């Protein structure tokens, strides 16, 4: 059996099956040179009608020898009327040659016969045929054939399934009495409370059994397993008992955290605790108290924001939240501005309005009072040609390059960068590499203060009045910098309507109307050419704003504003950078 192979040739009509069988038979030396068959064409089309019409009507067997293999081969008809012939022979064979004309590409019958073959569990080999034809496009045809396979995912995926089961070893776990579960993820349900997900590392766990939670800081909480789930497809199925190696969800422990161990008894001991990266940046979430507050969103009060944040941290373990001395302001800490921006975006979609501050890093002090700041390990991969600008940008950000590797056209760079310097880097990277650069970062350590990092060089153009922006007014304002609003936009006093070309903030009046004394320019706006406004995405806006500014995020609008809207009050308040510290 080890030396037998049984295959069929399948294709759309006229794509060259029978001719290919000729070649296989002849080149494997099946006929002696003086045999009549050696010079005949389409040997397998032996019926008179087949020869007359030039098509195969009946499926037929042949065989050839190759090395010490005996290969049985079945030629099949491609014409749609004879599909039954193809279907019938499928239980004889284990593989098919799917022949496709390089000029015509896959056709209706190609699809049909491939489906039959895959349903029968035959392994396919694609043969792109007639590549000598004038309009042959073998590469394109190959792509098209690949598409066909994607439509039969169950069939093609089989080699991958086999590879997974063959190469991935069974779970590292051991059977026995009692149990240990290492918690790797959390979820929350209003009915069940906290659900801890993880692998049964040892033993077996049953519903109703007493258990303990071995916390990361050494504390032990006694409790009971109230429910166990495992996964079937995307569904969570309740089960009564789970065994070593299973990945399951458990309920019964409200304060279990990622990295901690659930076990049958304290003596079982905790598995090595894997701490998650600490939050290194913080942003303020505040009630939208601006004049347009509540116009777009339904969830606008401090209570709405706090409830939403509380719900978020039940499952999002990388975030921390805290109340501040101002009941309308909450502190949200996390691993990066993107992570927090995603939360803001979700909140907008749920109908929330919220003011969000610029991300500020969380500092620490060492035993002797020296300032320490979070240092991240940065990984960047960029095209060679962008190396110069990226390195320059990184050096402004106080990055210390630790390694650099050239692979083909790409360079991968590793660096230690203060988190402060990393804010806004992703946007720069995308611009510097036309989107080809990729980056990621991990917490490295709290290290010594890396010193001054240059911040935004432009001040803001701040509206001094409320109303609708007019093109007449914006036309004058755009002389001073870049606009962020368009005519017709609602603006208010204290709102940022543009970027000043200079470093300071200046008040502007975007709602001014032209006096209608000059008859010729009646019909405000005609003939005025405004430059395209600067439209910032949420993430970009968050890293763009200064310490005394907010992004106003509502379901329909993103606006930038000064924290203090009143001009006189704002002038009196000093723009000081308040340092935020980690709350241990
Ligand atoms: N240019 C070119 N023509 C080919 C090639 N292979 C086969 N043909 C021609 O294509 C036509 C059909 O060939 P067959 O071998 O009868 O095709 P088939 O798939 O067996 O056809 P059915 O059995 O009727 O479905 C014939 O005229 C062959 O000479 C090739 O590689 N290049
Ligand atoms: Mg044929």
């Amino acid at each position: 059996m080890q030396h037998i192979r049984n295959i069929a040739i399948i294709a759309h009509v006229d794509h060259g099956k029978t001719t290919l069988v000729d070649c296989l038979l002849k080149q494997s030396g099946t006929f002696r040179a003086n045999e009549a068959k050696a010079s005949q064409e389409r040997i397998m089309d032996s019926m008179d009608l087949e020869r007359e019409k030039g098509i195969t009507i009946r499926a037929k067997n042949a065989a050839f020898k190759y090395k010490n293999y005996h290969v049985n081969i079945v030629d099949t008809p491609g014409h749609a009327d004879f599909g039954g012939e193809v279907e019938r022979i499928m239980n004889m064979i284990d593989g098919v040659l799917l022949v496709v004309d390089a000029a015509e590409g896959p056709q209706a019958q190609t699809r049909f016969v491939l489906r039959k073959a895959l349903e029968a569990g035959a392994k396919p080999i694609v043969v792109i045929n007639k590549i000598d034809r004038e309009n042959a496009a073998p590469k394109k045809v190959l792509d098209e054939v690949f598409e066909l396979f994607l439509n039969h995912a169950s069939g093609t995926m089989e080699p991958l399934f086999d590879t997974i089961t063959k190469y991935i070893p069974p779970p590292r776990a051991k059977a026995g009495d009692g149990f240990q579960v290492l918690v790797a993820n959390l979820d929350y349900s209003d009915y069940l409370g906290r659900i801890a997900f993880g692998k049964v590392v040892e033993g077996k766990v049953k519903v109703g059994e007493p258990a303990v939670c071995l916390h990361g800081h050494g504390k032990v909480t006694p409790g009971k397993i109230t429910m166990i789930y495992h996964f079937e497809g995307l569904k969570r199925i309740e089960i009564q008992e789970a065994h070593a190696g299973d990945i399951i969800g458990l309920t019964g422990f409200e304060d279990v955290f990622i990295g901690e161990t659930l076990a049958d008894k304290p003596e079982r001991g905790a598995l090595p605790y894997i701490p998650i990266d600490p939050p290194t940046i913080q942003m303020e979430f505040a009630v939208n108290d601006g004049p347009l507050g509540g116009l777009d969103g339904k969830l606008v009060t401090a209570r709405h924001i706090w409830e939403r944040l509380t719900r978020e941290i039940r499952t999002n373990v990388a975030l921390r939240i805290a109340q501040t001395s101002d009941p309308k302001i909450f502190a949200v800490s996390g691993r990066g501005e993107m992570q927090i921006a995603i939360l803001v975006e979700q909140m907008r979609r749920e109908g929330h309005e919220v003011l969000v501050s610029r991300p500020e890093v969380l500092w620490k002090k060492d035993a002797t009072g020296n300032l320490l700041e979070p240092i991240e390990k940065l990984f960047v991969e960029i095209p060679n040609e962008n190396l110069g600008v990226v390195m320059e940008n990184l050096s402004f950000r106080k990055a210390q390059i630790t390694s650099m590797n050239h692979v083909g056209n790409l360079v991968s760079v590793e660096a230690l960068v203060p988190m402060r310097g990393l804010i806004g880097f992703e946007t720069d990277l995308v611009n510097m590499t036309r989107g080809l650069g990729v980056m990621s970062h991990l917490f490295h350590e709290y290290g010594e203060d890396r010193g001054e990092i240059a911040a935004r060089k432009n001040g803001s153009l701040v509206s001094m009045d409320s109303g609708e922006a007019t093109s007449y007014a914006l036309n004058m304002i755009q002389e001073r910098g870049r606009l962020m609003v368009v005519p017709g936009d609602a603006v208010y006093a204290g709102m940022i309507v543009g970027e000043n070309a200079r470093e300071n903030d200046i008040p502007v009046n975007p709602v001014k109307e032209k006096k209608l004394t000059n008859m010729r320019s009646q019909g405000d706006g005609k003939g005025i050419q405004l430059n395209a406004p600067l439209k910032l995405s949420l993430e970009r806006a968050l890293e763009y704003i200064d310490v005394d500014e907010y992004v106003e995020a509502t379901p329909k609008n993103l606006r930038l504003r000064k924290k203090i809207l009143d001009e006189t009050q704002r002038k009196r308040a000093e723009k000081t950078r308040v340092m935020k510290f980690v709350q241990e």
Side-chain angles (χ1 to χ4, degrees), residues 13-19 42 54-56 78 129-130 132-133:
V13 65
D14 267 1
H15 279 196
K17 296 175 287 295
T18 307
T19 310
R42 302 212 306 279
I55 60 167
T56 306
N129 197 32
K130 305 199 190 182
D132 59 304
R133 277 183 68 172

Side-chain angles (χ1 to χ4, degrees), residues 216-387:
H217 41 73
K219 211 179 105 191
V220 178
T221 318
K224 200 171 83 177
I225 304 292
T226 52
M227 262 183 209
I228 307 178
Y229 295 92
H230 80 163
F231 291 93
E232 277 175 28
L234 295 175
K235 282 206 211 88
R236 286 177 194 172
I237 307 285
E238 218 185 308
I239 53 173
Q240 291 306 308
E241 171 174 336
H243 299 265
D246 279 359
I247 289 181
I248 55 167
L250 290 174
T251 60
F253 289 86
E254 278 307 302
D255 52 358
V256 57
F257 205 67
I258 290 183
E260 297 181 340
T261 303
L262 295 173
D264 58 324
K265 53 183 180 190
E267 300 77 54
R268 187 75 50 198
L271 293 153
Y273 175 72
I274 306 146
I276 51 174
D277 284 355
T280 46
I281 61 152
Q282 189 171 85
M283 278 141 111
E284 281 172 15
F285 279 42
V287 173
N288 186 5
D289 62 358
L292 303 177
L295 288 187
D296 287 353
K298 290 192 184 69
L299 308 168
V300 293
T301 65
R303 193 168 55 89
H304 286 135
I305 298 175
W306 183 247
E307 276 178 8
R308 180 63 183 83
L309 294 177
T310 312
R311 193 145 36 91
E312 185 68 20
I313 58 160
R314 282 174 185 159
T315 54
N316 194 341
V317 295
L319 287 187
R320 309 266 165 87
I321 58 170
Q323 281 163 336
T324 68
S325 54
D326 185 332
K328 286 180 163 176
I329 301 178
F330 307 104
V332 179
S333 317
R335 288 283 306 141
E337 71 252 37
M338 178 67 168
Q339 186 193 33
I340 300 183
I342 285 170
L343 171 60
V344 176
E345 192 54 51
Q346 282 171 339
M347 288 175 67
R348 292 178 74 195
R349 288 172 193 201
E350 292 160 10
H352 282 275
E353 288 194 12
V354 67
L355 301 177
V356 189
S357 77
R358 180 189 165 77
E360 295 283 330
V361 309
L362 292 167
W363 295 76
K364 265 187 186 177
K365 275 187 182 148
D366 69 8
T368 51
N370 293 320
L371 277 177
L372 298 178
E373 65 172 314
I375 309 291
E376 299 277 316
K377 186 165 191 109
L378 172 73
F379 305 84
V380 205
E381 196 176 82
I382 48 167
N384 255 323
E385 65 199 60
N386 305 126
L387 184 60

Side-chain angles (χ1 to χ4, degrees), residues 363-492:
W363 295 76
K364 265 187 186 177
K365 275 187 182 148
D366 69 8
T368 51
N370 293 320
L371 277 177
L372 298 178
E373 65 172 314
I375 309 291
E376 299 277 316
K377 186 165 191 109
L378 172 73
F379 305 84
V380 205
E381 196 176 82
I382 48 167
N384 255 323
E385 65 199 60
N386 305 126
L387 184 60
V389 272
V390 173
M391 293 302 268
E392 193 184 354
N393 188 292
L394 281 173
S395 91
F396 285 131
R397 295 170 177 279
K398 296 281 160 80
Q400 174 200 338
I401 309 299
T402 52
S403 87
M404 203 189 288
N405 273 302
H406 292 260
V407 183
N409 283 333
L410 296 174
V411 203
S412 56
V413 180
E414 281 182 35
L416 295 176
V417 198
M419 186 67 209
R420 265 186 313 145
L422 220 46
I423 293 170
F425 177 65
E426 190 155 13
T427 311
D428 281 4
L429 185 69
V430 167
N431 292 336
M432 290 183 291
T433 63
R434 297 175 327 284
L436 296 174
V438 287
M439 65 171 276
S440 60
H441 61 104
L442 294 171
F443 176 71
H444 180 65
E445 63 174 4
Y446 263 88
E448 64 182 27
D449 183 356
R450 300 294 203 259
E452 190 76 27
I453 294 180
R456 187 177 109 201
K457 291 177 209 74
N458 301 85
S460 299
L461 302 172
V462 185
S463 177
M464 54 168 111
D465 205 348
S466 300
E468 230 178 61
T470 68
S471 41
Y472 167 71
L474 294 182
N475 188 38
M476 291 193 294
I477 295 171
Q478 72 175 358
E479 312 267 295
R480 326 211 47 173
R482 270 192 88 177
L483 294 172
M484 294 183 187
V485 295
V486 295
D489 276 358
V491 298
Y492 54 82

Side-chain angles (χ1 to χ4, degrees), residues 9 12-21 42 44-45 50 54-58 60 75-79:
I9 301 213
H12 187 73
V13 65
D14 267 1
H15 279 196
K17 296 175 287 295
T18 307
T19 310
L20 183 65
V21 177
R42 302 212 306 279
M44 297 290 287
D45 283 346
E50 289 179 326
I55 60 167
T56 306
I57 296 171
R58 303 291 303 275
K60 287 186 255 11
D75 186 21
T76 65
H79 194 280

